[in-house]
Amino acid sequence: MDRNTEIGLIKQVIGLADQKSAYLDPTIAHSPITRYISPDRFEREMSAIFKRRPVVLAQSSELTGENAFLTKRFLDLPVLLIRDGDGRAQAYLNVCRHRGATLERDAGGCKRVFTCPYHGWSWDNQGDLRAVPHEDQGFPELMRAERALRSLPTAEAFGFIWIIANPETSEMPDIETWIGAELAKDFNWMDLADHRIAQIETVDIAANWKVLIEGGLEAYHFRVAHKNTIAPYFMDNLSPYQIYGPHMRGVLPRTTMPDLSQTDETSWEIRRDANLLYTVLPSMQMLVQQDHVMWFHYEPVSIDCTRIRMATLVPNSVPQTDEMEEHWAKNQLITKTALMEDFDLAAEIQSGFASRGNPSHIFGRYEGALNRFNAAVEEMIQG
Ligand code: FES
Ligand SMILES: [Fe+2]
């Protein structure tokens, strides 16, 4: 984020606080509930969005060191993620090219050669087939090059490893182009590439992935839903947002932000007096707090269940002392406690869909970001 943007965003909040106004969209909008319950719609989201656009598979610090590997699942794909001797990350299908056994069963480690536990075929960490037991008699004229591991388009940028979750494609867009120049500038400003995971946990929530993302896009609910947790620290119903292609940045000002009008603007720092929420479609949100970043990774398990990885990302420059680790653990717990209030509401909303009591939901003028998010999803489905 450049300094002008930072000052501009703070001035916008001070101005709105002065006028005692929320950040308003021009009109209300309606969101048909078929978006969240139609199996056909879900299939289209998977094929046109989740299997066609860059999605984050891992944070870079999960795969450190030469010859490191990780096994993951994303949607229906078993994935083997390898960092080769040159430090390059590459994702492959974790499926043996002989008769399809799971090639690597361990969650992670360090290896140069991957040997299938079924008949012992092995591949090196460039994905090339290296050995086939009894090859001469059993597999005459085997074209080894045709039996390389199936790779997935992979890129590493801003401290994350991104893939296209589709072995049928080889195209990977430039990630900076995908997220857009403005968000790239922000991610460089916060040095996202130089962060590690201090805390991480995974929860499965019985809600459509879009209901979960929507939950973070407005502050209209803070005073009610979060009255016992975070509400006192944030301004009531104020969350300006900016759109960058399908992605967005939201500003969640702390109650202290309007007081900045009494101070010299050279001393203003947006991260001190606001949280920033980045939504990078389709699978991630990042809540940028004062000294760390909360990373939320959404993986649709089914139309009404989403797996969420929640992690505290911290700058590598902060020493890993017991005291700091305790601090991060405490932060993770505070954020998780507040977020579970949102996630529980999302699951209630999802279970309410079955009643068909609402043919659509209504987004008020405070909730414009939800409408924009859904419009971006529709656009991506249209291609
Ligand atoms: S299935 Fe892997 S070696 Fe046979
Ligand atoms: Fe919330």
Side-chain angles (χ1 to χ4, degrees):
M1 179 180 299
D2 58 43
R3 187 66 182 155
N4 282 343
T5 306
E6 187 173 14
I7 298 288
L9 291 173
I10 294 171
K11 282 188 173 165
Q12 181 181 42
V13 169
I14 291 173
L16 288 164
D18 254 8
Q19 296 159 34
K20 303 202 183 332
S21 173
Y23 181 82
L24 294 172
D25 266 50
T27 57
I28 61 165
H30 298 273
S31 187
I33 68 160
T34 47
R35 280 174 176 169
Y36 315 99
I37 58 170
S38 152
D40 173 58
R41 164 63 186 253
F42 183 72
E43 279 315 308
R44 282 187 293 141
E45 288 173 352
M46 292 307 106
S47 58
I49 304 176
F50 280 86
K51 295 187 166 195
R52 225 154 107 198
R53 316 287 170 155
V55 289
V56 166
L57 185 69
Q59 205 267 349
S60 292
S61 71
E62 292 179 86
L63 189 73
T64 44
E66 264 179 41
N67 307 313
F69 76 88
L70 284 176
T71 56
K72 297 253 179 200
R73 273 200 91 85
F74 187 74
L75 307 176
D76 53 357
L77 302 182
V79 182
L80 172 60
L81 194 56
I82 298 175
R83 194 179 290 289
D84 67 17
D86 298 328
R88 196 182 56 109
Q90 179 63 51
Y92 300 93
L93 290 186
N94 189 17
V95 175
C96 175
R97 299 296 319 275
H98 171 218
R99 275 173 46 210
T102 297
L103 175 59
E104 178 54 59
R105 290 169 171 170
D106 287 351
C110 220
K111 266 185 194 179
R112 277 173 202 279
V113 176
F114 296 86
T115 302
C116 178
Y118 202 171
H119 310 94
W121 288 30
S122 54
W123 285 262
D124 65 21
N125 65 6
Q126 307 283 332
D128 294 326
L129 179 58
R130 284 301 173 214
V132 174
H134 307 296
E135 179 176 354
D136 292 349
Q137 280 193 314
F139 300 91
E141 291 158 42
L142 177 72
M143 302 293 284
R144 286 192 178 196
E146 289 173 4
R147 298 280 154 183
L149 295 180
R150 293 294 302 272
S151 61
L152 298 167
T154 311
E156 189 161 17
F158 305 107
F160 295 105
I161 299 168
W162 312 66
I163 60 164
I164 304 284
N166 181 356
E168 302 300 326
T169 177
S170 56
E171 307 255 312
M172 170 55 96
D174 175 58
I175 298 298
E176 188 162 335
T177 309
W178 167 245
I179 66 169
E182 202 62 28
L183 291 196
K185 220 189 289 170
D186 284 20
F187 295 172
N188 286 329
W189 163 76
M190 64 179 86
D191 233 342
L192 202 50
D194 202 17
H195 280 60
R196 66 174 176 92
I197 294 177
Q199 292 280 319
I200 188 161
E201 56 203 299
T202 304
V203 288
D204 283 358
I205 305 291
N208 183 267
W209 68 281
K210 299 186 301 299
V211 179
L212 288 159
I213 290 190
E214 287 175 4
L217 297 181
E218 44 88 1
Y220 179 42
H221 70 285
F222 276 26
R223 280 292 146 91
V224 186
H226 299 307
K227 62 179 183 296
N228 297 322
T229 53
I230 54 169
Y233 307 108
F234 291 91
M235 293 182 69
D236 182 25
N237 195 19
L238 188 58
S239 53
Y241 67 92
Q242 303 83 42
I243 299 285
Y244 302 105
H247 317 298
M248 60 179 100
R249 173 180 59 215
V251 180
L252 300 168
R254 291 173 186 275
T255 49
T256 51
M257 188 166 262
D259 301 339
L260 291 181
S261 63
Q262 309 305 318
T263 65
D264 191 301
E265 71 180 46
T266 53
S267 67
W268 294 0
E269 281 176 41
I270 194 163
R271 281 182 72 169
R272 201 174 46 209
D273 292 295
N275 283 355
L276 301 170
L277 180 72
Y278 293 89
T279 303
V280 179
L281 256 52
S283 64
M284 117 166 144
Q285 286 182 310
M286 276 183 296
L287 185 65
V288 178
Q289 305 191 34
Q290 286 167 335
D291 57 4
H292 68 284
V293 174
M294 286 298 300
W295 167 46
F296 302 94
H297 178 264
Y298 302 94
E299 177 188 351
V301 175
S302 65
I303 189 166
D304 55 4
C305 180
T306 306
R307 183 157 299 148
I308 308 173
R309 297 176 81 204
M310 284 185 264
T312 300
L313 305 184
V314 304
N316 285 321
S317 57
V318 177
Q320 293 187 36
T321 59
D322 289 351
E323 199 186 351
M324 284 315 291
E325 296 310 307
E326 214 174 285
H327 168 73
W328 302 131
K330 224 186 270 171
N331 265 298
Q332 169 98 4
L333 184 62
I334 290 169
T335 308
K336 184 188 174 183
T337 304
L339 262 293
M340 286 309 294
E341 294 173 337
D342 293 307
F343 297 163
D344 288 345
L345 280 159
E348 285 175 21
I349 291 168
Q350 190 74 35
S351 73
F353 287 139
S355 71
R356 304 283 172 145
N358 285 320
S360 61
H361 286 170
I362 180 167
F363 298 148
R365 294 177 65 197
Y366 314 126
E367 298 163 303
L370 284 73
N371 192 39
R372 300 296 292 266
F373 158 65
N374 278 286
V377 171
E378 309 256 323
E379 251 169 60
M380 285 201 278
I381 291 175
Q382 309 306 332

mmCIF file of all heavy atoms in Angstrom, residues 291-321:
data_model
loop_
_atom_site.group_PDB
_atom_site.id
_atom_site.type_symbol
_atom_site.label_atom_id
_atom_site.label_comp_id
_atom_site.label_asym_id
_atom_site.label_seq_id
_atom_site.Cartn_x
_atom_site.Cartn_y
_atom_site.Cartn_z
ATOM 1 N N ASP A 291 0.243 -6.713 14.340
ATOM 2 C CA ASP A 291 1.575 -7.309 14.218
ATOM 3 C C ASP A 291 1.576 -8.670 13.533
ATOM 4 O O ASP A 291 2.586 -9.363 13.528
ATOM 5 C CB ASP A 291 2.242 -7.424 15.606
ATOM 6 C CG ASP A 291 1.400 -8.225 16.592
ATOM 7 O OD1 ASP A 291 0.339 -8.753 16.190
ATOM 8 O OD2 ASP A 291 1.802 -8.327 17.774
ATOM 9 N N HIS A 292 0.422 -9.069 12.995
ATOM 10 C CA HIS A 292 0.360 -10.370 12.322
ATOM 11 C C HIS A 292 -0.800 -10.381 11.341
ATOM 12 O O HIS A 292 -1.590 -9.443 11.281
ATOM 13 C CB HIS A 292 0.205 -11.492 13.356
ATOM 14 C CG HIS A 292 -1.120 -11.470 14.049
ATOM 15 N ND1 HIS A 292 -1.439 -10.559 15.032
ATOM 16 C CD2 HIS A 292 -2.232 -12.222 13.866
ATOM 17 C CE1 HIS A 292 -2.676 -10.776 15.444
ATOM 18 N NE2 HIS A 292 -3.187 -11.762 14.752
ATOM 19 N N VAL A 293 -0.875 -11.471 10.597
ATOM 20 C CA VAL A 293 -1.925 -11.616 9.587
ATOM 21 C C VAL A 293 -2.655 -12.931 9.856
ATOM 22 O O VAL A 293 -2.006 -13.969 10.030
ATOM 23 C CB VAL A 293 -1.289 -11.669 8.167
ATOM 24 C CG1 VAL A 293 -2.338 -11.966 7.099
ATOM 25 C CG2 VAL A 293 -0.557 -10.358 7.851
ATOM 26 N N MET A 294 -3.991 -12.873 9.934
ATOM 27 C CA MET A 294 -4.745 -14.124 10.025
ATOM 28 C C MET A 294 -5.109 -14.555 8.612
ATOM 29 O O MET A 294 -5.682 -13.786 7.846
ATOM 30 C CB MET A 294 -6.028 -13.930 10.847
ATOM 31 C CG MET A 294 -5.826 -13.789 12.331
ATOM 32 S SD MET A 294 -5.071 -15.218 13.167
ATOM 33 C CE MET A 294 -6.240 -16.539 12.820
ATOM 34 N N TRP A 295 -4.774 -15.775 8.293
ATOM 35 C CA TRP A 295 -5.030 -16.310 6.952
ATOM 36 C C TRP A 295 -6.140 -17.350 7.046
ATOM 37 O O TRP A 295 -6.060 -18.261 7.860
ATOM 38 C CB TRP A 295 -3.738 -16.928 6.415
ATOM 39 C CG TRP A 295 -3.879 -17.780 5.199
ATOM 40 C CD1 TRP A 295 -4.590 -17.491 4.072
ATOM 41 C CD2 TRP A 295 -3.287 -19.069 4.964
ATOM 42 N NE1 TRP A 295 -4.467 -18.508 3.153
ATOM 43 C CE2 TRP A 295 -3.670 -19.490 3.676
ATOM 44 C CE3 TRP A 295 -2.461 -19.905 5.712
ATOM 45 C CZ2 TRP A 295 -3.262 -20.714 3.127
ATOM 46 C CZ3 TRP A 295 -2.046 -21.117 5.162
ATOM 47 C CH2 TRP A 295 -2.448 -21.503 3.890
ATOM 48 N N PHE A 296 -7.166 -17.176 6.239
ATOM 49 C CA PHE A 296 -8.280 -18.121 6.191
ATOM 50 C C PHE A 296 -8.322 -18.744 4.808
ATOM 51 O O PHE A 296 -8.378 -18.041 3.801
ATOM 52 C CB PHE A 296 -9.616 -17.418 6.466
ATOM 53 C CG PHE A 296 -9.626 -16.725 7.780
ATOM 54 C CD1 PHE A 296 -9.300 -15.374 7.866
ATOM 55 C CD2 PHE A 296 -9.908 -17.416 8.944
ATOM 56 C CE1 PHE A 296 -9.265 -14.723 9.091
ATOM 57 C CE2 PHE A 296 -9.870 -16.779 10.165
ATOM 58 C CZ PHE A 296 -9.548 -15.425 10.244
ATOM 59 N N HIS A 297 -8.282 -20.050 4.780
ATOM 60 C CA HIS A 297 -8.274 -20.775 3.520
ATOM 61 C C HIS A 297 -9.546 -21.620 3.456
ATOM 62 O O HIS A 297 -9.814 -22.418 4.350
ATOM 63 C CB HIS A 297 -7.028 -21.670 3.476
ATOM 64 C CG HIS A 297 -6.941 -22.505 2.252
ATOM 65 N ND1 HIS A 297 -7.369 -23.797 2.198
ATOM 66 C CD2 HIS A 297 -6.486 -22.209 1.007
ATOM 67 C CE1 HIS A 297 -7.165 -24.275 0.979
ATOM 68 N NE2 HIS A 297 -6.637 -23.335 0.244
ATOM 69 N N TYR A 298 -10.343 -21.397 2.430
ATOM 70 C CA TYR A 298 -11.639 -22.077 2.316
ATOM 71 C C TYR A 298 -11.578 -23.146 1.240
ATOM 72 O O TYR A 298 -11.209 -22.858 0.105
ATOM 73 C CB TYR A 298 -12.738 -21.073 1.929
ATOM 74 C CG TYR A 298 -12.878 -19.941 2.907
ATOM 75 C CD1 TYR A 298 -12.209 -18.733 2.703
ATOM 76 C CD2 TYR A 298 -13.654 -20.082 4.049
ATOM 77 C CE1 TYR A 298 -12.324 -17.691 3.608
ATOM 78 C CE2 TYR A 298 -13.778 -19.045 4.958
ATOM 79 C CZ TYR A 298 -13.106 -17.856 4.728
ATOM 80 O OH TYR A 298 -13.223 -16.819 5.629
ATOM 81 N N GLU A 299 -11.959 -24.354 1.616
ATOM 82 C CA GLU A 299 -12.018 -25.442 0.641
ATOM 83 C C GLU A 299 -13.420 -26.043 0.697
ATOM 84 O O GLU A 299 -13.793 -26.649 1.705
ATOM 85 C CB GLU A 299 -10.973 -26.509 1.001
ATOM 86 C CG GLU A 299 -11.025 -27.693 0.069
ATOM 87 C CD GLU A 299 -10.125 -28.840 0.530
ATOM 88 O OE1 GLU A 299 -9.337 -28.667 1.480
ATOM 89 O OE2 GLU A 299 -10.229 -29.909 -0.082
ATOM 90 N N PRO A 300 -14.189 -25.868 -0.373
ATOM 91 C CA PRO A 300 -15.532 -26.458 -0.350
ATOM 92 C C PRO A 300 -15.432 -27.986 -0.359
ATOM 93 O O PRO A 300 -14.822 -28.559 -1.256
ATOM 94 C CB PRO A 300 -16.170 -25.959 -1.660
ATOM 95 C CG PRO A 300 -15.307 -24.836 -2.123
ATOM 96 C CD PRO A 300 -13.924 -25.134 -1.616
ATOM 97 N N VAL A 301 -15.967 -28.610 0.673
ATOM 98 C CA VAL A 301 -15.987 -30.074 0.739
ATOM 99 C C VAL A 301 -17.234 -30.570 0.025
ATOM 100 O O VAL A 301 -17.230 -31.585 -0.652
ATOM 101 C CB VAL A 301 -15.986 -30.534 2.218
ATOM 102 C CG1 VAL A 301 -16.124 -32.040 2.325
ATOM 103 C CG2 VAL A 301 -14.710 -30.066 2.911
ATOM 104 N N SER A 302 -18.305 -29.815 0.170
ATOM 105 C CA SER A 302 -19.561 -30.114 -0.519
ATOM 106 C C SER A 302 -20.349 -28.805 -0.543
ATOM 107 O O SER A 302 -19.884 -27.782 -0.035
ATOM 108 C CB SER A 302 -20.344 -31.202 0.221
ATOM 109 O OG SER A 302 -20.721 -30.707 1.497
ATOM 110 N N ILE A 303 -21.531 -28.873 -1.106
ATOM 111 C CA ILE A 303 -22.322 -27.644 -1.229
ATOM 112 C C ILE A 303 -22.584 -26.999 0.142
ATOM 113 O O ILE A 303 -22.632 -25.778 0.266
ATOM 114 C CB ILE A 303 -23.639 -27.933 -1.976
ATOM 115 C CG1 ILE A 303 -24.364 -26.648 -2.320
ATOM 116 C CG2 ILE A 303 -24.544 -28.871 -1.195
ATOM 117 C CD1 ILE A 303 -25.472 -26.826 -3.321
ATOM 118 N N ASP A 304 -22.688 -27.839 1.170
ATOM 119 C CA ASP A 304 -23.028 -27.290 2.487
ATOM 120 C C ASP A 304 -21.983 -27.623 3.555
ATOM 121 O O ASP A 304 -22.305 -27.719 4.743
ATOM 122 C CB ASP A 304 -24.429 -27.753 2.922
ATOM 123 C CG ASP A 304 -24.559 -29.264 2.896
ATOM 124 O OD1 ASP A 304 -23.545 -29.944 2.624
ATOM 125 O OD2 ASP A 304 -25.672 -29.764 3.150
ATOM 126 N N CYS A 305 -20.770 -27.805 3.118
ATOM 127 C CA CYS A 305 -19.695 -28.010 4.099
ATOM 128 C C CYS A 305 -18.401 -27.419 3.549
ATOM 129 O O CYS A 305 -18.062 -27.627 2.380
ATOM 130 C CB CYS A 305 -19.515 -29.492 4.397
ATOM 131 S SG CYS A 305 -18.193 -29.795 5.594
ATOM 132 N N THR A 306 -17.717 -26.675 4.387
ATOM 133 C CA THR A 306 -16.483 -26.021 3.962
ATOM 134 C C THR A 306 -15.396 -26.273 4.994
ATOM 135 O O THR A 306 -15.632 -26.135 6.197
ATOM 136 C CB THR A 306 -16.713 -24.498 3.816
ATOM 137 O OG1 THR A 306 -17.821 -24.296 2.941
ATOM 138 C CG2 THR A 306 -15.488 -23.787 3.261
ATOM 139 N N ARG A 307 -14.238 -26.663 4.496
ATOM 140 C CA ARG A 307 -13.091 -26.854 5.392
ATOM 141 C C ARG A 307 -12.318 -25.539 5.436
ATOM 142 O O ARG A 307 -11.974 -24.979 4.400
ATOM 143 C CB ARG A 307 -12.208 -27.984 4.862
ATOM 144 C CG ARG A 307 -11.032 -28.317 5.752
ATOM 145 C CD ARG A 307 -10.558 -29.734 5.495
ATOM 146 N NE ARG A 307 -11.638 -30.677 5.787
ATOM 147 C CZ ARG A 307 -11.828 -31.844 5.163
ATOM 148 N NH1 ARG A 307 -11.019 -32.228 4.219
ATOM 149 N NH2 ARG A 307 -12.840 -32.623 5.495
ATOM 150 N N ILE A 308 -12.068 -25.066 6.641
ATOM 151 C CA ILE A 308 -11.368 -23.782 6.792
ATOM 152 C C ILE A 308 -10.065 -24.015 7.539
ATOM 153 O O ILE A 308 -10.058 -24.597 8.622
ATOM 154 C CB ILE A 308 -12.228 -22.772 7.573
ATOM 155 C CG1 ILE A 308 -13.616 -22.654 6.948
ATOM 156 C CG2 ILE A 308 -11.539 -21.401 7.613
ATOM 157 C CD1 ILE A 308 -14.564 -21.804 7.754
ATOM 158 N N ARG A 309 -8.978 -23.565 6.922
ATOM 159 C CA ARG A 309 -7.702 -23.542 7.643
ATOM 160 C C ARG A 309 -7.528 -22.109 8.129
ATOM 161 O O ARG A 309 -7.641 -21.169 7.355
ATOM 162 C CB ARG A 309 -6.532 -23.907 6.733
ATOM 163 C CG ARG A 309 -6.611 -25.305 6.174
ATOM 164 C CD ARG A 309 -5.464 -25.548 5.208
ATOM 165 N NE ARG A 309 -4.234 -25.881 5.913
ATOM 166 C CZ ARG A 309 -3.010 -25.693 5.418
ATOM 167 N NH1 ARG A 309 -2.847 -25.133 4.236
ATOM 168 N NH2 ARG A 309 -1.946 -26.044 6.100
ATOM 169 N N MET A 310 -7.276 -21.985 9.421
ATOM 170 C CA MET A 310 -7.088 -20.653 10.028
ATOM 171 C C MET A 310 -5.679 -20.607 10.567
ATOM 172 O O MET A 310 -5.317 -21.444 11.394
ATOM 173 C CB MET A 310 -8.005 -20.495 11.237
ATOM 174 C CG MET A 310 -9.431 -20.245 10.941
ATOM 175 S SD MET A 310 -10.267 -19.934 12.519
ATOM 176 C CE MET A 310 -10.893 -21.552 12.844
ATOM 177 N N ALA A 311 -4.906 -19.640 10.112
ATOM 178 C CA ALA A 311 -3.516 -19.599 10.557
ATOM 179 C C ALA A 311 -3.103 -18.191 10.955
ATOM 180 O O ALA A 311 -3.557 -17.207 10.368
ATOM 181 C CB ALA A 311 -2.597 -20.114 9.462
ATOM 182 N N THR A 312 -2.255 -18.128 11.955
ATOM 183 C CA THR A 312 -1.612 -16.865 12.315
ATOM 184 C C THR A 312 -0.285 -16.803 11.569
ATOM 185 O O THR A 312 0.597 -17.630 11.794
ATOM 186 C CB THR A 312 -1.341 -16.802 13.835
ATOM 187 O OG1 THR A 312 -2.593 -16.914 14.525
ATOM 188 C CG2 THR A 312 -0.662 -15.497 14.230
ATOM 189 N N LEU A 313 -0.165 -15.850 10.646
ATOM 190 C CA LEU A 313 1.093 -15.656 9.923
ATOM 191 C C LEU A 313 1.852 -14.521 10.602
ATOM 192 O O LEU A 313 1.284 -13.455 10.845
ATOM 193 C CB LEU A 313 0.827 -15.281 8.461
ATOM 194 C CG LEU A 313 -0.053 -16.218 7.638
ATOM 195 C CD1 LEU A 313 -0.134 -15.734 6.189
ATOM 196 C CD2 LEU A 313 0.468 -17.644 7.680
ATOM 197 N N VAL A 314 3.114 -14.779 10.879
ATOM 198 C CA VAL A 314 3.899 -13.760 11.577
ATOM 199 C C VAL A 314 5.190 -13.471 10.813
ATOM 200 O O VAL A 314 5.725 -14.356 10.147
ATOM 201 C CB VAL A 314 4.205 -14.182 13.035
ATOM 202 C CG1 VAL A 314 2.920 -14.497 13.781
ATOM 203 C CG2 VAL A 314 5.125 -15.386 13.094
ATOM 204 N N PRO A 315 5.689 -12.246 10.922
ATOM 205 C CA PRO A 315 6.910 -11.906 10.202
ATOM 206 C C PRO A 315 8.087 -12.758 10.681
ATOM 207 O O PRO A 315 8.239 -12.985 11.885
ATOM 208 C CB PRO A 315 7.146 -10.429 10.557
ATOM 209 C CG PRO A 315 5.842 -9.931 11.086
ATOM 210 C CD PRO A 315 5.139 -11.108 11.686
ATOM 211 N N ASN A 316 8.896 -13.198 9.724
ATOM 212 C CA ASN A 316 10.093 -13.975 10.077
ATOM 213 C C ASN A 316 11.044 -13.178 10.955
ATOM 214 O O ASN A 316 11.849 -13.755 11.688
ATOM 215 C CB ASN A 316 10.815 -14.430 8.810
ATOM 216 C CG ASN A 316 10.081 -15.564 8.128
ATOM 217 O OD1 ASN A 316 9.544 -16.459 8.781
ATOM 218 N ND2 ASN A 316 10.012 -15.523 6.811
ATOM 219 N N SER A 317 10.938 -11.851 10.878
ATOM 220 C CA SER A 317 11.871 -11.015 11.641
ATOM 221 C C SER A 317 11.582 -11.049 13.143
ATOM 222 O O SER A 317 12.431 -10.654 13.945
ATOM 223 C CB SER A 317 11.777 -9.568 11.142
ATOM 224 O OG SER A 317 10.436 -9.122 11.261
ATOM 225 N N VAL A 318 10.390 -11.528 13.535
ATOM 226 C CA VAL A 318 10.092 -11.569 14.972
ATOM 227 C C VAL A 318 10.731 -12.829 15.562
ATOM 228 O O VAL A 318 10.474 -13.932 15.093
ATOM 229 C CB VAL A 318 8.566 -11.578 15.216
ATOM 230 C CG1 VAL A 318 8.252 -11.700 16.694
ATOM 231 C CG2 VAL A 318 7.921 -10.341 14.617
ATOM 232 N N PRO A 319 11.568 -12.677 16.586
ATOM 233 C CA PRO A 319 12.247 -13.842 17.165
ATOM 234 C C PRO A 319 11.252 -14.887 17.692
ATOM 235 O O PRO A 319 10.203 -14.528 18.234
ATOM 236 C CB PRO A 319 13.060 -13.251 18.320
ATOM 237 C CG PRO A 319 13.038 -11.778 18.143
ATOM 238 C CD PRO A 319 11.887 -11.428 17.273
ATOM 239 N N GLN A 320 11.625 -16.161 17.521
ATOM 240 C CA GLN A 320 10.731 -17.242 17.960
ATOM 241 C C GLN A 320 11.003 -17.602 19.425
ATOM 242 O O GLN A 320 11.501 -18.673 19.731
ATOM 243 C CB GLN A 320 10.912 -18.475 17.073
ATOM 244 C CG GLN A 320 10.450 -18.249 15.654
ATOM 245 C CD GLN A 320 10.481 -19.527 14.821
ATOM 246 O OE1 GLN A 320 10.200 -20.615 15.314
ATOM 247 N NE2 GLN A 320 10.821 -19.401 13.560
ATOM 248 N N THR A 321 10.663 -16.688 20.328
ATOM 249 C CA THR A 321 10.853 -16.964 21.759
ATOM 250 C C THR A 321 9.575 -17.583 22.327
ATOM 251 O O THR A 321 8.508 -17.469 21.729
ATOM 252 C CB THR A 321 11.116 -15.653 22.518
ATOM 253 O OG1 THR A 321 9.977 -14.788 22.291
ATOM 254 C CG2 THR A 321 12.368 -14.944 22.003
#
